[in-house]
Amino acid sequence: MFAAYALKTERISTCPPLPEMLAHKLNAVSGVGRRVFEFRIYPPLFDALRMIMKIEGTVWKFGDNIDTDVIIPAIYLVTTDMSELGKHCMEGVDATFAEKVGPGDIIVAGKNFGCGSSREHAPMAIKGAGISCVIAEGFARIFFRNAFNMGLAIFECPGVFQGIQEGDRVSVNQDTGEITDHTNGKRFLANPVPPFMQELIEAGGLMAYVLNKRQS
Amino acid sequence: MPQTITEKILAAHAGRDTVVPGELINVRIDMALANDITAPIAIDLFEKSHVESVFDPERIALVPDHFVPNKDVQSAIQVQAMRTFARKYHIKYFFELGEMGIEHVLLPEQGLVLPGDVVIGADSHTCTYGALGAFATGVGSTDIAATMITGEVWFKVPESIKLIYDGQLREWVTGKDLILYTIGDIGVDGATYKAMEFTGDVIKALPVADRMTMANMAIEAGAKSGIIPPDEATLDYIRPRAKRPFECYTSDPDATYAEVRTYDVSNIEPQVAFPYLPENTRGISAVDTIPIDQAVIGSCTNGRIEDLRLAARILNGRTIDKNVRLIIVPATPTVYRQAMAEGLLEIFLAARGIVSPPTCGPCLGGFMGILGPGERAVSTTNRNFVGRMGHPSSEVYLANPAVAAASAVLGRIGGPDELD
């Protein structure tokens, strides 16, 4: 389930056409542009893609109660362009964060991550900055919902804040929810994704889920 | 099975007799709301879905209030997108400048959110409508886009926390102080995922405006919703406004709560929430000398006529400190005109304040009163996060309108009792 989530949160724009029988048919929500589209993957490619899109990156740490105003200050809410929002990601706590962060890097945070406003620009800015996932002790409700709806990978994992340090190299096994800190060797297990959220992920996000149901 | 008001409303909208906390349900919604920040994303997703019509053009409200009057070209473009969408899909409740007000004051005032409703809004303070006995909660833009297609939304049925307020309110203590005190007690994540149900003799005697202030800030404790069972005061407010039938629900006496807390309000004085979290509250007597540069009176939390009357009581015949800028924001055109009719605007201007058109602008550091480096504001708004009202080194102290007005006169944070 974790794997399926990762697949669908990445951008896959080209895939050779396949006979229906051989194809896994998936819907996906793309990254930039948020276009809902459909793509197909050869079964053997599934594992290969999972390898490519394994979440692994350098950790940037933030504390408790990181609110949406510091994730993306309101003056930048005059655009819906994800990469533009990404340029100002976390600007409220670290003005140079967007310049420092590398593609695939990971945010580790304390409790109540994403509290405050309902602005979906917050998960968009994080994704736009190139962050592969957010691992936190806990998430604020609307941020949690938004992240699933728009396709930012997030993992709730008590104990992670104490156990992982800034700059550590961390990977996430999306099949099992296992989080490994390769710098200090510690391992953690993320809370499982609630079943209905898994259905949303399988469909490729809320819009794809709603449109699929409408067609069926 | 005994149920809370929240469970009863959700069950009714899910076509069920009962629901249980933790259950995932699909509910019919009575009103879906978005503003000029959140609507553009929803509109974009809706258009890309190639669905030809919205589920009901009379159950969608589009309120351009955050950066309006348009603060720059980009915000003008966002409002244009709303306007175009509203015309194309015949959205009945698109509020153009002149009718537009701060959404969470405007919708109740216009009778568009009613007791027993399920309301979602792509704005976290949508929980305000719980004050009228509705289930109302903030969601994101994608949720609004999906609901514009289906007329439904999925929820996990929340557990409820019962908050009972007893005792005698002290002078200058308002709904704002009760909710700040409560957030200070339970913390900014003290009610995460839960419904906060406000009850007790104090709530029953509390004016509807104060109730809305309380429900408005339920999100600042992480709650999914805040709710107050409707009573005569609710109905007095609703009856002249309601544009459709509604139903009143109340909690069964033996309903199950995750937690019950009782507060003796006799011990609560006016509260001030220090930077950078709404939970950093102190009683006004415990506030040291904190000079301020700006005072803001307005917002979805405290921009109603009752709030302006309270501020005017303090400012009448006084002028503010020469080092302070006072910005007053009537939340809707109706509030503005009423304040004008009652002579409140004259009092504000004579005190050397300014009166802004309705907008969310200053509350979220959008425009109309942004703070510079190191500046401090006392504000009747709802959030005091880092950089909320401007530069990351600026500071926001949350308070009620009487404290904000008194502080503007004193030039430092202080209560009405400290005035001559």
Side-chain angles (χ1 to χ4, degrees), chain B residues 39-50:
Chain B
I41 297 174
I43 288 169
D44 192 38
L45 289 169
F46 183 90
E47 292 290 8
K48 282 173 179 158
S49 76
H50 303 295

Side-chain angles (χ1 to χ4, degrees), chain B residues 15-274:
Chain B
R16 303 257 300 267
D17 292 331
T18 58
V19 292
V20 179
E23 253 189 298
L24 277 160
I25 53 168
N26 223 33
V27 301
R28 175 177 58 74
I29 68 111
D30 296 294
M31 189 59 75
L33 161 75
N35 58 50
D36 50 316
I37 286 176
T38 57
I41 297 174
I43 288 169
D44 192 38
L45 289 169
F46 183 90
E47 292 290 8
K48 282 173 179 158
S49 76
H50 303 295
V51 173
E52 282 169 5
S53 60
V54 298
F55 81 103
D56 185 342
E58 296 195 12
R59 289 183 186 271
I60 294 167
L62 297 175
V63 187
D65 56 357
H66 276 58
F67 295 155
V68 173
N70 304 334
K71 77 181 179 76
D72 53 21
V73 172
Q74 284 175 296
S75 40
I77 291 168
Q78 302 213 132
V79 179
Q80 272 179 322
M82 294 173 83
R83 192 177 289 121
T84 305
F85 181 84
R87 285 180 189 153
K88 182 173 172 188
Y89 296 98
H90 312 289
I91 305 296
K92 186 168 179 186
Y93 300 112
F94 168 72
F95 292 88
E96 192 56 87
L97 206 68
E99 295 175 330
M100 175 279 290
I102 295 175
E103 50 197 342
H104 308 309
V105 181
L106 183 71
L107 264 53
E109 179 191 87
Q110 297 296 315
L112 298 178
V113 288
L114 301 170
D117 277 2
V118 170
V119 183
I120 59 167
D123 188 281
S124 58
H125 292 108
T126 300
C127 52
T128 308
Y129 317 135
L132 303 174
F135 176 84
T137 190
V139 295
S141 300
T142 303
D143 274 307
I144 294 296
T147 298
M148 288 199 297
I149 295 169
T150 63
E152 295 178 349
V153 70
W154 68 269
F155 285 127
K156 188 165 86 172
V157 178
E159 292 183 304
S160 293
I161 301 179
K162 190 177 194 173
L163 301 152
I164 305 165
Y165 300 83
D166 290 329
Q168 191 68 39
L169 280 180
R170 294 192 195 180
E171 196 181 16
W172 309 116
V173 172
T174 68
K176 181 64 164 286
D177 305 292
L178 298 182
I179 189 64
L180 284 177
Y181 186 89
T182 306
I183 296 164
D185 180 45
I186 67 174
V188 291
D189 61 350
T192 300
Y193 296 105
K194 299 190 174 75
M196 297 171 81
E197 188 174 321
F198 304 104
T199 62
D201 291 344
V202 174
I203 304 299
K204 286 181 189 137
L206 208 58
V208 168
D210 286 74
R211 298 179 185 189
M212 289 206 232
T213 304
M214 291 188 73
N216 172 273
M217 289 190 73
I219 180 67
E220 309 320 332
K224 186 169 203 158
S225 59
I227 197 158
I228 296 175
D231 58 14
E232 273 310 309
T234 319
L235 293 175
D236 287 346
Y237 181 89
I238 291 295
R239 279 196 194 104
R241 296 177 161 87
K243 294 196 164 51
R244 51 188 162 81
F246 58 92
E247 195 162 343
C248 293
Y249 297 88
T250 52
S251 292
D252 295 322
D254 47 353
T256 304
Y257 292 89
E259 196 181 347
V260 178
R261 279 174 190 254
T262 304
Y263 297 103
D264 180 359
V265 304
S266 318
N267 301 320
I268 298 175
E269 55 174 340
Q271 300 287 304
V272 178
F274 279 48

Side-chain angles (χ1 to χ4, degrees), chain A residues 33 69 74 120 141 145-146 149, chain B residues 137 140-143 154 364 388:
Chain A
D69 278 274
E120 212 159 296
R141 187 198 137 250
R145 192 174 175 115
N146 283 347
N149 282 347
Chain B
T137 190
S141 300
T142 303
D143 274 307
W154 68 269
L364 77 163
R388 173 69 178 182

Side-chain angles (χ1 to χ4, degrees), chain A residues 55-215:
Chain A
I55 291 182
E56 181 166 349
T58 302
V59 164
W60 299 88
K61 263 184 90 175
F62 297 92
D64 292 339
N65 303 315
I66 294 298
D67 61 78
T68 53
D69 278 274
V70 298
I71 295 172
I72 182 74
I75 46 167
Y76 302 119
L77 303 182
V78 288
T79 178
T80 55
D81 183 292
M82 202 177 288
S83 54
E84 188 59 36
L85 291 165
K87 290 178 192 165
H88 305 287
C89 180
M90 307 308 281
E91 196 171 292
V93 271
D94 181 351
T96 59
F97 179 75
E99 295 163 24
K100 295 183 296 197
V101 71
D105 281 0
I106 291 170
I107 288 178
V108 170
K111 60 174 190 165
N112 204 26
F113 186 88
C115 62
S117 137
S118 67
R119 62 188 71 160
E120 212 159 296
H121 310 67
M124 287 168 77
I126 292 172
K127 206 168 171 184
I131 294 289
S132 59
C133 74
V134 181
I135 309 169
E137 298 280 326
F139 292 92
R141 187 198 137 250
I142 306 176
F143 184 91
F144 186 84
R145 192 174 175 115
N146 283 347
F148 274 89
N149 282 347
M150 59 72 64
L152 170 71
I154 58 171
F155 300 94
E156 194 174 70
C157 185
V160 81
F161 188 75
Q162 286 299 324
I164 294 177
Q165 301 313 314
E166 176 138 319
D168 286 2
R169 196 73 191 164
V170 163
S171 68
V172 183
N173 181 328
Q174 297 162 88
D175 276 336
T176 61
E178 193 176 41
I179 296 163
T180 307
D181 186 327
H182 299 282
T183 307
N184 63 19
K186 288 184 184 167
R187 283 159 187 262
F188 309 86
L189 195 61
N191 292 344
V193 176
F196 177 71
M197 306 300 259
Q198 291 183 4
E199 259 185 75
L200 283 187
I201 293 162
E202 285 204 333
L206 179 65
M207 287 304 282
Y209 176 84
V210 162
L211 294 171
N212 284 349
K213 266 184 82 171
R214 198 178 149 87
Q215 278 161 12

